[in-house]
């Protein structure tokens, strides 16, 4: 599994050079760029629907709002009297799966079939994405949603959207000590399927 530093592309370039020492410097740079894009522009998979960055931000936000309201009701309902302090301090956690975006990444390779094959191989084996708070488009956008305003006051607790890489890849957020989610055997099996074909948004 190769490590892709979304905050430090130069570190990712070093990893690419070690994995493919025969690649020309320009080819290694192209492959590095595409790998970084596959993480930064990852596809969001929520409730069996796929959302493309950036054109589907509104659609995913509306879909998440339904669960945000439900999750808050479940916490505040039966536990409000006995766990008042916890209900006030702990945020509502909602998960969103991320799929490395092969289609967007492959566009960076200028039609080079040999490099597209290498990219596909890397994603199939799984990638360890290391990122900061603003490195992944979906996480950055969803962290800034005003759920109270969107719900017209129905949401009273803090909301945190937790994005997790799937299909054989894992994500490690800078400042933490463990991956947000490790790849399971089922996820690795999914990674063997053909990469999704979703056009990258402008």
């Amino acid at each position: 599994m190769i490590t892709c530093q979304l905050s430090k592309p130069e570190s990712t370039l070093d990893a690419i050079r070690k994995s493919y020492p025969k690649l020309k410097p320009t080819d290694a740079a192209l492959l590095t760029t595409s790998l970084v894009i596959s993480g930064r522009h990852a596809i969001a998979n929520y409730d069996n629907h796929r959302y493309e960055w950036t054109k589907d931000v509104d659609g995913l936000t509306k879909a998440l709002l339904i669960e945000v309201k439900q999750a808050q009701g479940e916490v505040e309902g039966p536990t409000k009297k006995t766990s008042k302090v916890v209900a006030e301090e702990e945020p509502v956690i909602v998960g969103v799966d991320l799929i490395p975006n092969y289609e967007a990444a492959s566009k960076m390779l200028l039609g080079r079939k040999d490099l597209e094959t290498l990219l596909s191989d890397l994603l199939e084996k799984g990638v360890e994405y290391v990122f900061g708070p603003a490195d992944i488009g979906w996480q950055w956008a969803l962290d800034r949603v005003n759920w109270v305003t969107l719900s017209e006051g129905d949401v009273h607790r803090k909301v945190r959207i937790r994005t997790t890489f799937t299909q054989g890849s894992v994500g490690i957020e800078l400042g933490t000590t463990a991956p947000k989610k490790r790849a399971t055997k089922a996820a690795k099996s999914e990674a063997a399927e053909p990469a999704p074909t979703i056009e990258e948004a402008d």
Side-chain angles (χ1 to χ4, degrees):
M1 178 179 288
I2 196 167
T3 298
C4 179
Q5 296 268 1
L6 298 184
S7 297
K8 298 180 179 180
E10 63 275 12
S11 297
T12 305
L13 178 59
D14 290 340
I16 291 292
R17 285 176 172 173
K18 290 180 181 179
S19 298
Y20 303 101
K22 294 183 179 181
L23 271 183
K24 296 179 180 179
T26 52
D27 291 346
L30 283 173
L31 189 57
T32 297
T33 300
S34 68
L35 196 60
V36 169
I37 289 296
S38 74
R40 286 182 175 272
H41 294 184
I43 298 165
N45 186 25
Y46 175 75
D47 196 23
N48 295 321
H49 292 280
R50 293 187 176 187
Y51 298 87
E52 183 183 349
W53 175 261
T54 58
K55 70 177 184 179
D56 294 331
V57 172
D58 288 343
L60 179 56
T61 301
K62 291 178 181 178
L64 288 170
L65 182 59
I66 297 174
E67 183 176 348
V68 167
K69 290 182 178 180
Q70 291 175 343
Q72 173 160 297
E74 291 172 357
V75 172
E76 291 188 348
T79 63
K80 185 175 181 180
K81 294 182 180 179
T82 58
S83 305
K84 183 177 179 181
V85 175
V86 175
E88 290 176 350
E89 294 180 352
E90 293 186 357
V92 173
I93 306 295
V94 180
V96 175
D97 290 340
L98 296 179
I99 301 172
N101 194 333
Y102 172 81
E103 185 67 19
S106 63
K107 289 182 178 180
M108 302 292 104
L109 300 177
L110 308 176
R112 289 280 302 279
K113 299 299 181 183
D114 55 335
L115 295 181
E116 289 176 5
T117 298
L118 291 180
L119 172 63
S120 179
D121 289 344
L122 285 172
L123 296 181
E124 183 176 337
K125 292 176 182 177
V127 179
E128 182 183 71
Y129 293 100
V130 181
F131 56 91
D135 288 332
I136 299 175
W138 283 114
Q139 188 69 66
W140 180 89
L142 295 173
D143 281 346
R144 285 156 180 75
V145 174
N146 189 325
W147 299 104
V148 176
T149 299
L150 287 180
S151 68
E152 298 181 347
D154 289 340
V155 173
H156 306 288
R157 298 178 62 222
K158 293 181 180 180
V159 177
R160 181 178 178 185
I161 306 299
R162 180 173 294 165
T163 55
T164 305
F165 277 97
T166 60
Q167 292 201 350
S169 294
V170 297
I172 299 178
E173 187 171 1
L174 293 173
T176 62
T177 58
K180 298 180 71 175
K181 182 179 180 182
R182 293 197 175 276
T184 61
K185 291 183 178 179
K188 291 181 179 179
S189 177
E190 291 176 1
E193 299 177 359
T197 55
I198 298 179
E199 294 184 359
E200 181 190 10
D202 293 334

